[in-house]
Amino acid sequence: MSEQLVLTRIEGAVGVLTLNRPKVLNALSNEVMQALSEALLALENNENIGAIVLTGNEKAFAAGADIAAMKDWSYTDVYKSNYIGGYWETMKNAIRKPVVAAVSGYALGGGCELAMMCDFIIAADNAKFGQPEIKLGTIPGLGGTQRLTRAIGKSKAMDMVLTGRMMDAQEAEKAGLVSRILPLENFLDEVVKVAQGIASLSVPTVMMAKQCVNTALETTLEQGLQYERRVFHATFATEDQKEGMAAFIEKRPANFKNM
C-alpha cells in the first residue's frame, strides 16, 4: 500500500492537514502537492468546515522541495512542465477559507514558502525558517523572494535569500513572519483551538475579511480602502451581520448561520 502523503482529520469545524513524509522531513514533490491540493479543495467544498490548519511534525513542517527528484532536470524539463505551478498554487488560487500554518521544526525552502502561502503562521518555539536555495545554486521559486520581502522587508529578506541562513521562531516573530509563538508541548492542539475560534464566526464574513487583507498587498491604499468599504457595505446584506450586532446589543453569544 502506498504512503498517504497528506493526512486529513476533522476537529469540529476545522480541517487539519498533515504533511506525511517524515523520512524525508516532509520534502515537497509534485505528488505531495497534488495530494495537498486535493485535500485543500475537499475542505474548501465542505460546508461544515470553517477553517483549515496545515502542519507537519515536531521535527519538520517541510524541509524544502524534493532535491533528489529534481537534481537532474534541465531548463526544458522545468519550463515545459511549469514546475511549481498548477497544484502548487491551489492555496493561492482556489482556497477562500482561512488556512493557518502550524510550524514546528524546519520550514526551509519550499517549506517556508508553503507556510507563507497560508494566511498566517503560528510557530512552535523550536521552529526554524529559511530560504537556503542559494546554497544549491538556484533561487526560491514558490514566492520566497516575493512573499518573504513583503512579510519582513527588503533587508531581512535579502539577508536570508543571499546567505541561506536560518531564522529561529523568536526572530521570525519579531520580523513579522510569524504571528505568534507557542510552546512545542501541545502545540498543534493549541493551534487548532485558534482555528476553531475563527471557524465559530461567520464563514462568509471571514472569507470577505481574508480577501480584504490580501487585497492590501495588491493595490494602492486608496484602492484598498475603497474595496474594503464596499465589502463592509456588503456584509449588511447577510443574516450573520444582523445576528452578530443583535447578539452584541443583547449581551449574548452570536449564533451565526453562515448566511
Side-chain angles (χ1 to χ4, degrees):
M1 185 175 179
S2 60
E3 180 181 43
Q4 189 172 351
L5 300 174
V6 177
L7 306 177
T8 301
R9 80 172 192 272
I10 306 300
E11 296 277 351
V14 174
V16 181
L17 301 180
T18 303
L19 301 174
N20 187 41
R21 297 185 76 197
K23 293 180 181 178
V24 289
L25 299 180
N26 292 329
L28 305 178
S29 64
N30 282 328
E31 293 76 17
V32 170
M33 296 308 292
Q34 180 176 351
L36 178 58
S37 173
E38 292 169 355
L40 284 166
L41 289 170
L43 294 175
E44 175 73 14
N45 295 323
N46 185 337
E47 293 186 358
N48 296 318
I49 297 299
I52 301 167
V53 172
L54 177 60
T55 194
N57 55 52
E58 288 189 2
K59 191 171 183 179
F61 174 77
D66 193 337
I67 305 304
M70 72 173 81
K71 68 181 182 65
D72 295 324
W73 291 348
S74 67
Y75 168 78
T76 303
D77 292 330
V78 294
Y79 181 76
K80 287 180 67 177
S81 67
N82 193 28
Y83 181 57
I84 61 178
Y87 290 124
W88 294 71
E89 297 185 308
T90 296
M91 185 95 70
K92 172 176 70 73
N93 294 333
I95 307 303
R96 296 189 299 162
K97 293 175 182 176
V99 183
V100 182
V103 175
S104 53
Y106 295 109
L108 306 178
C112 184
E113 292 167 308
L114 179 60
M116 289 190 290
M117 291 175 74
C118 298
D119 295 305
F120 62 97
I121 302 170
I122 298 179
D125 51 20
N126 73 331
K128 293 185 182 298
F129 300 86
Q131 299 290 163
E133 291 89 346
I134 201 75
K135 296 181 177 181
L136 302 177
T138 186
I139 67 169
L142 193 61
T145 65
Q146 302 302 302
R147 290 190 179 91
L148 188 64
T149 303
R150 285 164 169 77
I152 67 176
K154 176 187 173 182
S155 185
K156 282 277 190 183
M158 281 287 193
D159 182 7
M160 292 184 70
V161 170
L162 298 185
T163 69
R165 77 174 181 88
M166 288 189 286
M167 175 184 287
D168 64 21
Q170 290 70 32
E171 184 181 1
E173 183 187 35
K174 185 177 180 180
L177 179 61
V178 164
S179 66
R180 61 180 102 172
I181 301 171
L182 298 174
L184 182 58
E185 185 177 5
N186 299 321
F187 171 65
L188 184 56
D189 290 341
E190 293 302 314
V191 178
V192 169
K193 287 180 184 178
V194 174
Q196 287 173 333
I198 296 170
S200 71
L201 304 172
S202 167
V203 172
T205 306
V206 167
M207 291 193 293
M208 291 180 199
K210 168 178 170 169
Q211 184 59 48
C212 284
V213 174
N214 284 335
T215 297
L217 298 174
E218 307 294 339
T219 63
T220 65
L221 176 59
E222 184 57 32
Q223 290 169 329
L225 289 170
Q226 288 291 338
Y227 182 80
E228 177 192 72
R229 187 171 302 122
R230 294 296 175 253
V231 176
F232 166 70
H233 292 164
T235 65
F236 282 74
T238 68
E239 293 182 18
D240 285 343
Q241 173 268 331
K242 303 296 184 292
E243 166 63 13
M245 292 191 177
F248 177 81
I249 297 298
E250 296 165 14
K251 296 181 172 56
R252 61 172 174 81
N255 181 24
F256 294 118
K257 299 293 180 60
N258 300 325
M259 299 176 67

